[in-house]
Amino acid sequence: MSAGANIQNGQHDDGETRRGFMQMLAGAFGAVGLGAFLVPAVNSLNPAKDTLALSTVEVDLSDVPVGGSKTVMWQGKPIFIRHRTAEEITEAEDVDVQTLTDKQTDESRVEKPEWLVVVGVCTHLGCIPQGQKTTDNHGEFGGWFCSCHGSQYDTSGRIRKGPAPKNLAVPPYKFVNDTTIKIG
Amino acid sequence: MGNHPREQFDNPVVEWVDSRLPIFTILNKEYGVFPTPKNFNYFWNFGAIAMFMLVTMIVTGIILAMHYTANVNLAFDSVERIMRDVNGGWLLRYIHMNGASFFFIAVYIHIFRGMYYGSYKRPRELLWILGMVIFLLMMATAFIGYVLPWGQMSYWGATVITNLFSAIPYVGEHIVTLMWGGFAVDNPTLTRFFALHYLLPFVIFAVVFLHIWALHVTGSNNPLGIDVKGPQDTIPFNPYYTMKDFFGLIVFVMIYCMFIFYMPDALGHSDNYIPANPLSTPAHIVPEWYFLPFYAMLRAITFNMNVYMLAGLALLAVVLVEFVWRHKPKYLNAPIGFLIFAAGGALALFGFLADMNQDWEIPMSAAEVAPVPAKLGGVLTMFGSIAMLFIMPWLDTHPIRSARFRPLYKATFLLLFVLFVALGYIGSQPADANVAGIPLSVFGLALTGYYFGFFLVILPLLSRFEKGRKLPLSIHEAVLAKKQQFQGVSA
Amino acid sequence: MKARHLIPVLAIAVGAILPLAPASANSGGAEPLVHQDWSFDGPFGTYDKASLQRGLKIYREVCAGCHSLKRVYFRNLEGIGYNEEQIKAIASQYTVQDGPNDEGEMFDRPAKPSDYIPSPFPNDNAAKSANNGALPPDLSLITKAREDGANYVFSLLTGFEAAPHGVEMSETQHWNKYFPGHKISMPPPLSPGQVSYADDGSPETLEQYAKDISHFLTWAADPYMEERKRTGVKVILFLLVFAGIMLGLKKKTWADLH
């Protein structure tokens, strides 16, 4: 750069500083212009409006018997819904929270005790745990078992054993009526 | 590469990198202190502007490709999804869509500038040819890209242009089937076009690199067209031309943005907002504007070239080579030359009339037995018109480069420019359009005649006979003289 | 300017103006379109929300009998000034097919904002067979898919008249002076008083109807026009200032050349 500016250095310092200022200004404008293009360009890779519009789903629960499960898709991920039996509820409520990896009470994870709704994605590295079907391996704690790396979840979807750091996430949902929930 | 003297840098990081891989030394040599003629005008901005457009097209294109689906059932919908649902998708698409046009605007100005100031001449022939390779690749990329939205113009444009290749004798039909991957333009065609549309810009990028490399071997031409004679004729590229290029670029981008934001569809065709329908052709199909002059030349050939016409043209070619291209006729003398010229012209005219008036039933003049039917003639004319540009450095061997000192070249070249634009207008009109009862294709034929005449006849003749004005002694003196003239006026 | 500069400038000017010459393309003898003043014209143009809402009403009550608007979601109606509750209410008046459910059956349910506006016919063939073999085009992009789209739609809707004497027309054809070829399969769709404008008291005339639906369809084809033009103002102003700075910098840089 310096070689270019030096070639004919007849001018006084005054002009030099003003030019330096203008160069900075031009550089700033160039940076802003580039940024003004790059921000929408990168933002276009975020979820599009049609994707966002599908971010709620209503689920009819009337066909899930006590002890049964249902899996629905929400935002491209499986949602595990379990109609828990009385034993499963007691089992989940009786655990000493202080012994857990991720300390959450069962009450804080359900709207109604008989319905457990969790995102069916292992919090370790994103596999789908087994346990939705009665024939599946439910793990030692009667919930779900992730066959990828052996994480075990209880009947409240909490991590009890294995490498996963957190409980299965609870998606935002609410009961529209007694037998219908709206997720998202 | 490593044994060039390397300069020291103050910044330790830069110095660390440069002493291991001297990219900063190279950058400084080629873009920092690179000696550049001091008398460029604003036409010399368009190389940098074209480069900017190429990068813009590649960046927006990569993002659009992430949202696009190359399948005949989904392509149109996926483009509309970009326009309606993808965040800022409409902006990216409009930048890309109008970017094609503005890339061509920049490149056309760049090419015409090169022609006007004689930048194709010795020693820059290879530089010019590499530029023409870029131009050809751009045309291919643009055409293929226009197919991707899968609208009516996409589909029928693809059908018509790929069908050009069916004019090739014997193998044409096979080539077209191979290009399509089927028996019509269809899903396989779209998928491969998408793959090629993604690939070709990077090929262009590579050829641009060679183009710039070749430029930096010979150095730039300049508006006077005379060689650089010493350091007093040049200034370092940076900051003088970096600043000038940036200013020109921003003005160009401003015009470009006016199209993007205020008339985004003005350069396109409304039929391309109708999904492709293989069962119905739009009433009036035209290519994008940047192809129109060449399209007009394609359509100008409405006649078959029968044996008479070809024989006549062959005789005329003999005269062309002997008396126009050669500085001294080698095999023929003037009277014989004139005889051959008259015979060739008569034969060609006879062949033309015989083809136009099939009811005369002249032997061997039937359309079916014409060695070059109209379709092949049109295709050859179109590709020939681009071939003219490739061989231009050998058609124009006049020692003076710049049109400023060649009044005859200047006049004939500017006429070519106007007629080229007029050809574009003719190409945009419906096939049956006419002016005062004369079909437009007749005008198209006349202008095509001038186009080829300019390259094949006028340029060689001017090379031999145009005297030209007196050249300035050096760039430095010319610049000084101009400055003094200005001061004289203002004083 | 010296004479030797004049010729190239002249040549470039001619070259630039020539393509702008009006194309005398003969589109089947159709008359030149009627030109309306639209609120969305010009670099600062915006949509007129009241007109858009009336236009939607016309689409729903008249056009939707035959024409789909399949690229517009109910949620997009936010763009014509409806809020979420209103959009839900409008959507719930439509039925869409969903499924398959757990038993593998397709079932009907009320539409949601995330649904497309349902089309009147399940596919093109059904649309053709119900309309004497003519396909009523989808209207989502119609104003972009026709040259000078808004004026075209307006002209077409107001351009029905009796066929000239001696012109043979089939039962299902209608004469329209703006339609390329004049013979259109669509019967005149609008008549004065047909759609109630009781809500806002606009005149219930053919012209007003045609204007509102053209306005609405322009929005449907180009929903981001306002955002586009607003962004454009900012970008152009930014570039103007930037160009000024660069010009100053360029002059300053070149001033020290002797």
Side-chain angles (χ1 to χ4, degrees):
Chain A
M1 305 287 124
S2 54
N6 283 344
I7 186 107
Q8 275 158 344
N9 230 336
Q11 72 277 80
H12 15 74
D13 290 343
D14 199 32
E16 193 72 337
T17 42
R18 199 179 328 156
R19 197 169 89 192
F21 171 71
M22 282 178 78
Q23 270 168 352
M24 273 171 55
L25 196 63
F29 264 72
V32 170
L34 191 65
F37 165 73
L38 286 180
V39 167
V42 173
N43 185 38
S44 80
L45 302 176
N46 272 321
K49 295 185 184 68
D50 54 345
T51 312
L52 294 174
L54 290 178
S55 56
T56 65
V57 60
E58 284 192 14
V59 189
D60 178 18
L61 302 176
S62 57
D63 55 349
V64 187
V66 176
S69 300
K70 186 172 189 168
T71 309
V72 295
M73 286 290 278
W74 176 67
Q75 291 190 345
K77 295 170 288 196
I79 297 294
F80 291 167
I81 301 169
R82 180 175 288 193
H83 200 169
R84 298 193 291 187
T85 59
E87 300 91 80
E88 284 175 335
I89 297 171
T90 352
E91 217 179 294
E93 284 173 349
D94 287 353
V95 177
D96 178 7
V97 173
Q98 291 312 311
T99 65
L100 295 174
T101 315
D102 183 6
K103 298 172 181 52
Q104 280 184 318
T105 61
D106 187 57
E107 289 87 64
S108 68
R109 294 176 53 79
V110 290
E111 292 280 320
K112 293 181 182 178
E114 57 268 36
W115 293 102
L116 177 72
V117 181
V118 290
V119 177
V121 175
C122 181
T123 57
H124 180 220
L125 289 170
C127 295
I128 311 295
Q130 301 176 19
Q132 283 296 88
K133 279 184 272 174
T134 45
T135 52
D136 278 353
N137 182 353
H138 292 266
E140 292 171 29
F141 302 91
W144 290 270
F145 171 72
C146 183
S147 53
C148 285
H149 307 97
S151 292
Q152 312 212 10
Y153 297 93
D154 66 13
T155 53
S156 186
R158 289 174 296 198
I159 180 66
R160 298 293 287 275
K161 197 173 177 186
K166 285 206 170 334
N167 302 332
L168 293 178
V170 178
Y173 70 96
K174 60 175 188 268
F175 277 84
V176 183
N177 57 45
D178 275 355
T179 57
T180 312
I181 58 167
K182 186 182 169 191
I183 306 172
Chain B
M1 283 194 106
N3 43 22
H4 287 297
R6 209 178 61 72
E7 56 179 281
Q8 303 286 311
F9 290 88
D10 294 339
N11 184 321
V13 179
V14 172
E15 178 61 25
W16 187 91
V17 173
D18 202 72
S19 59
R20 286 155 180 82
L21 180 70
I23 45 174
F24 293 100
T25 298
I26 290 172
L27 270 181
N28 194 33
K29 178 167 168 280
E30 303 299 338
Y31 281 102
V33 296
F34 190 72
T36 317
K38 54 160 75 166
N39 60 334
F40 282 178
N41 57 30
Y42 277 101
F43 282 113
W44 260 264
N45 280 355
F46 286 91
I49 290 174
M51 185 69 200
F52 171 85
M53 289 312 303
L54 176 60
V55 173
T56 305
M57 294 303 280
I58 289 180
V59 171
T60 53
I62 288 173
I63 298 173
L64 288 171
M66 295 177 185
H67 296 295
Y68 171 76
T69 312
N71 175 293
V72 290
N73 297 315
L74 303 170
F76 191 93
D77 292 347
S78 74
V79 172
E80 269 310 305
R81 181 175 173 273
I82 291 171
M83 295 296 284
R84 290 163 184 272
D85 282 332
V86 172
N87 305 301
W90 59 267
L91 178 60
L92 289 169
R93 182 178 181 231
Y94 279 151
I95 291 175
H96 198 75
M97 218 170 108
N98 288 286
S101 285
F102 276 80
F103 195 3
F104 270 100
I105 289 175
V107 163
Y108 270 123
I109 296 175
H110 193 59
I111 292 174
F112 280 123
R113 188 271 285 157
M115 291 170 84
Y116 187 82
Y117 294 109
S119 304
Y120 50 90
K121 289 190 183 182
R122 223 175 102 81
R124 300 188 181 84
E125 302 97 323
L126 191 56
L127 172 63
W128 171 261
I129 287 176
L130 286 169
M132 284 300 130
V133 171
I134 295 170
F135 182 51
L136 265 187
L137 286 169
M138 275 177 67
M139 289 171 125
T141 312
F143 156 65
I144 289 171
Y146 193 57
V147 175
L148 302 184
W150 209 243
Q152 274 287 65
M153 279 293 169
S154 301
Y155 183 86
W156 292 102
T159 301
V160 167
I161 301 296
T162 49
N163 262 314
L164 290 182
F165 294 89
S166 70
I168 302 168
Y170 308 112
V171 293
E173 297 290 341
H174 299 283
I175 291 177
V176 173
T177 308
L178 180 70
M179 287 171 82
W180 287 342
F183 304 103
V185 174
D186 207 339
N187 201 50
T189 327
L190 179 62
T191 338
R192 65 189 59 179
F193 275 20
F194 180 51
L196 289 174
H197 188 68
Y198 207 114
L199 168 71
L200 285 180
F202 297 98
V203 179
I204 293 178
F205 203 89
V207 185
V208 166
F209 179 81
L210 297 179
H211 186 68
I212 295 173
W213 188 0
L215 171 74
H216 282 218
V217 172
T218 62
S220 294
N221 187 27
N222 65 80
L224 296 171
I226 56 177
D227 287 326
V228 166
K229 301 218 166 66
Q232 74 281 3
D233 286 348
T234 65
I235 45 178
F237 191 83
N238 185 59
Y240 298 104
Y241 287 118
T242 39
M243 293 301 140
K244 193 168 179 171
D245 278 353
F246 261 112
F247 170 63
L249 172 67
I250 290 163
V251 173
F252 184 85
V253 169
M254 195 148 59
I255 300 168
Y256 175 27
C257 282
M258 284 176 191
F259 274 83
I260 293 171
F261 291 104
Y262 295 109
M263 25 190 171
D265 293 310
L267 297 169
H269 199 287
S270 50
D271 276 328
N272 223 29
Y273 279 105
I274 304 170
N277 177 1
L279 298 177
S280 122
T281 312
H284 173 208
I285 66 167
V286 281
E288 291 289 82
W289 68 265
Y290 34 80
F291 293 132
L292 288 173
F294 300 103
Y295 188 59
M297 290 194 233
L298 169 83
R299 293 201 306 186
I301 309 302
T302 52
F303 49 86
N304 306 296
M305 298 188 193
N306 50 34
V307 283
Y308 305 105
M309 191 184 243
L310 288 176
L313 290 177
L315 291 179
L316 290 176
V318 168
V319 177
L320 180 76
V321 172
E322 269 298 278
F323 293 93
V324 179
W325 289 9
R326 259 196 247 288
H327 280 229
K328 237 183 170 163
K330 209 162 155 190
Y331 302 108
L332 307 171
N333 58 31
I336 294 182
F338 182 77
L339 260 169
I340 297 178
F341 178 74
L347 209 50
L349 185 67
F350 173 73
F352 179 74
L353 292 174
D355 181 62
M356 287 286 121
N357 302 282
Q358 289 289 336
D359 52 336
W360 293 357
E361 290 180 21
I362 291 163
M364 321 253 300
S365 78
E368 309 83 70
V369 297
V372 181
K375 184 171 166 184
L376 178 59
V379 173
L380 288 176
T381 305
M382 187 174 75
F383 285 110
S385 67
I386 296 166
M388 292 296 112
L389 294 169
F390 272 87
I391 59 171
M392 193 178 179
W394 292 276
L395 293 171
D396 177 9
T397 52
H398 197 283
I400 299 178
R401 293 198 187 95
S402 172
R404 281 197 191 168
F405 305 103
R406 295 181 62 192
L408 289 176
Y409 173 73
K410 179 161 139 182
T412 49
F413 170 72
L414 290 176
L415 181 61
L416 178 80
F417 172 76
V418 172
L419 297 185
F420 189 73
V421 176
L423 272 171
Y425 174 76
I426 291 170
S428 75
Q429 294 303 299
D432 57 357
N434 59 67
V435 172
I438 308 167
L440 263 185
S441 61
V442 172
F443 291 100
L445 186 59
L447 301 195
T448 305
Y450 181 81
Y451 183 93
F452 281 90
F454 174 81
F455 285 98
L456 294 176
V457 181
I458 294 177
L459 284 185
L461 281 182
L462 290 184
S463 302
R464 289 168 58 188
F465 298 114
E466 183 171 19
K467 288 199 65 174
R469 291 207 180 93
K470 191 170 164 293
L471 292 174
L473 284 174
S474 75
I475 296 172
H476 182 64
E477 280 190 23
V479 172
L480 266 189
K482 201 171 164 191
K483 223 173 227 172
Q484 275 157 3
Q485 196 187 10
F486 267 117
Q487 278 156 359
V489 170
S490 60
Chain C
M1 196 185 290
K2 280 205 264 165
R4 72 181 168 85
H5 287 139
L6 211 62
I7 302 169
V9 169
L10 218 64
I12 291 166
V14 170
I17 291 167
L18 208 58
L20 302 178
S24 61
N26 199 345
S27 49
E31 285 186 23
L33 304 177
V34 197
H35 283 261
Q36 295 287 304
D37 284 328
W38 302 102
S39 66
F40 50 77
D41 283 340
F44 303 100
T46 53
Y47 289 123
D48 171 359
K49 295 259 160 71
S51 179
L52 290 177
Q53 295 186 0
R54 292 195 298 271
L56 173 66
K57 195 163 194 285
I58 294 170
Y59 170 74
R60 293 179 64 191
E61 292 180 22
V62 184
C63 317
C66 303
H67 291 278
S68 58
L69 192 65
K70 63 180 180 187
R71 296 179 196 283
V72 178
Y73 290 100
F74 286 107
R75 63 181 159 83
N76 294 143
L77 297 178
E78 205 185 328
I80 70 170
Y82 288 119
N83 63 29
E84 209 186 323
E85 289 312 308
Q86 288 169 309
I87 292 171
K88 274 188 183 159
I90 293 171
S92 65
Q93 294 164 20
Y94 290 79
T95 308
V96 295
Q97 195 179 49
D98 202 346
N101 62 12
D102 294 349
E103 288 79 43
E105 304 288 332
M106 302 304 281
F107 60 93
D108 287 342
R109 61 162 172 80
K112 292 185 291 194
S114 60
D115 288 315
Y116 281 119
I117 293 180
S119 302
F121 301 103
N123 54 54
D124 283 358
N125 287 355
K128 272 189 210 164
S129 92
N131 288 285
N132 304 310
L135 176 68
D138 179 67
L139 296 183
S140 323
L141 282 168
I142 202 76
T143 60
K144 275 188 177 179
R146 300 288 182 274
E147 210 56 57
D148 195 7
N151 287 317
Y152 173 80
V153 173
F154 179 88
S155 302
L156 192 79
L157 291 174
T158 54
F160 286 94
E161 50 186 42
H165 277 293
V167 176
E168 235 175 84
M169 304 279 281
S170 80
E171 281 284 297
T172 61
Q173 286 177 328
H174 308 270
W175 186 267
N176 190 305
K177 55 181 168 174
Y178 301 109
F179 188 68
H182 293 307
K183 293 176 186 173
I184 188 168
S185 299
M186 175 172 74
L190 295 167
S191 53
Q194 182 182 6
V195 177
S196 164
Y197 276 172
D199 290 350
D200 69 354
S202 299
E204 295 171 0
T205 59
L206 177 61
E207 277 70 29
Q208 187 63 41
Y209 289 157
K211 205 165 172 183
D212 290 338
I213 186 67
S214 308
H215 205 114
F216 172 73
L217 292 177
T218 303
W219 167 83
D222 196 3
Y224 292 106
M225 183 215 66
E226 291 184 359
E227 187 186 340
R228 193 182 78 223
K229 289 180 176 173
R230 270 200 311 271
T231 315
V233 173
K234 286 181 223 155
V235 169
I236 302 282
L237 282 180
F238 173 84
L239 288 172
L240 265 178
V241 177
F242 197 0
I245 293 173
M246 284 317 299
L247 181 62
L249 192 53
K250 184 247 158 191
K251 285 203 157 151
K252 200 119 200 87
T253 309
W254 281 72
D256 56 352
L257 263 191
H258 300 298

